[in-house]
Amino acid sequence: DAGITQSPRYKITETGRQVTLMCHQTWSHSYMFWYRQDLGHGLRLIYYSAAADITDKGEVPDGYVVSRSKTENFPLTLESATRSQTSVYFCASSEAGRGTDTQYFGPGTRLTVL
Amino acid sequence: DQQVKQNSPSLSVQEGRISILNCDYTNSMFDYFLWYKKYPAEGPTFLISISSIKDKNEDGRFTVFLNKSAKHLSLHIVPSQPGDSAVYFCAAADFGNEKLTFGTGTRLTIIP
């Protein structure tokens, strides 16, 4: 299916465990983004990527690691999950990276850290 | 420091009436503004945008107004329909910057 997909959709893990959230897009968009959505904070940018092997920090990068070896995939890893990382995570992509370009969002992953 | 603010966490409007969602920003470098709409268990989807060279942009039932001197924008939905019930996020960008800054969202409920 064309579009942007995220897996898993729901994940429960324990404090200290490593978790990887997957994001895949079929449009060959250059830019990809990871956001987290929390009540009272809206959507906050964690990391973004301009192309394969090019990544940069967003507003709240601490505790997260990203990689982008292929244009279509942009996994987000929590190396040692903490309760404060309980959130809904959204991946997005855009054709070019300008703020004026529409970002297309995946359906989200709800992560609970116990 | 919240650079984009949506001060109303929720709003209820009767079906057929006008819905007005508000957004304020503090960063004068922002020159492009967007509204995204989000249904439960789905990702946000783009709704409408406006450049700082304009003060109004219209798309069907949706109109966005920009007041640069007040650093304020608003989204008007006329007439409101039950399918408009969703969370609406305001976002801002400065030209050439890849990043969007989102507001905290307003939950709109349309009452039949």
Side-chain angles (χ1 to χ4, degrees), chain A residues 45-47 56-66 76-77 85:
Chain A
L45 183 65
I46 304 170
Y47 269 96
D56 207 348
K57 295 178 181 179
E59 183 185 352
V60 288
D62 293 343
Y64 302 95
V65 174
V66 293
L76 176 74
T77 297
Q85 293 177 309

Side-chain angles (χ1 to χ4, degrees), chain A residues 9 31 40 90 97 99 103 105-106, chain B residues 32 36 38 41 43-44 97-98 104:
Chain A
R9 293 293 313 276
Y31 278 77
F90 290 100
Q103 291 188 16
F105 285 80
Chain B
Y32 196 77
Y36 279 79
K38 184 186 177 307
N97 191 326
E98 306 97 332
T104 51

Side-chain angles (χ1 to χ4, degrees), chain A residues 4-109:
Chain A
I4 183 164
T5 56
Q6 293 183 236
S7 61
R9 293 293 313 276
Y10 303 91
K11 177 72 177 179
I12 300 174
T13 191
E14 294 177 339
T15 302
R17 291 194 179 262
Q18 183 179 77
V19 178
T20 296
L21 310 183
M22 303 302 292
C23 179
H24 175 78
Q25 54 105 353
T26 60
W27 294 303
S28 298
H29 283 171
S30 296
Y31 278 77
M32 296 186 75
F33 307 83
W34 274 107
Y35 294 90
R36 58 178 290 175
Q37 183 194 359
D38 303 289
L39 199 62
H41 291 281
L43 291 160
R44 292 182 292 175
L45 183 65
I46 304 170
Y47 269 96
Y48 66 103
S49 168
D53 298 322
I54 301 175
T55 62
D56 207 348
K57 295 178 181 179
E59 183 185 352
V60 288
D62 293 343
Y64 302 95
V65 174
V66 293
S67 62
R68 195 167 175 207
S69 57
K70 292 184 177 181
T71 300
E72 61 266 30
N73 296 325
F74 191 36
L76 176 74
T77 297
L78 289 67
E79 292 191 304
S80 178
T82 65
R83 289 183 181 174
S84 65
Q85 293 177 309
T86 292
S87 186
V88 181
Y89 291 85
F90 290 100
C91 177
S93 71
S94 68
E95 192 169 359
R98 297 179 298 266
T100 55
D101 291 320
T102 299
Q103 291 188 16
Y104 298 89
F105 285 80
T109 294

Side-chain angles (χ1 to χ4, degrees), chain B:
Chain B
D1 179 32
Q2 193 78 28
Q3 296 187 66
V4 178
K5 301 178 184 179
Q6 294 176 254
N7 291 318
S8 298
S10 62
L11 176 68
S12 294
V13 175
Q14 290 279 349
E15 181 179 359
R17 306 293 289 267
I18 183 171
S19 295
I20 300 176
L21 293 85
N22 294 303
C23 179
D24 297 296
Y25 61 97
T26 57
N27 188 340
S28 46
M29 295 299 293
F30 289 146
D31 56 10
Y32 196 77
F33 304 90
L34 309 91
W35 286 93
Y36 279 79
K37 176 178 180 179
K38 184 186 177 307
Y39 292 120
E42 295 183 11
T45 56
F46 170 75
L47 184 60
I48 192 169
S49 61
I50 187 167
S51 162
S52 60
I53 63 172
K54 294 185 174 183
D55 54 18
K56 176 183 173 181
N57 188 29
E58 208 169 339
D59 183 3
R61 296 186 297 114
F62 303 91
T63 302
V64 56
F65 295 92
L66 176 62
N67 182 334
K68 290 185 290 293
S69 60
K71 294 189 175 69
H72 177 83
L73 63 154
S74 61
L75 174 68
H76 292 211
I77 306 173
V78 182
S80 300
Q81 298 175 354
D84 297 329
S85 294
V87 176
Y88 290 79
F89 290 101
C90 170
D94 63 81
F95 185 78
N97 191 326
E98 306 97 332
K99 294 178 280 191
L100 287 179
T101 301
F102 283 86
T104 51
T106 297
R107 181 179 300 279
L108 175 66
T109 302
I110 305 303
I111 304 164

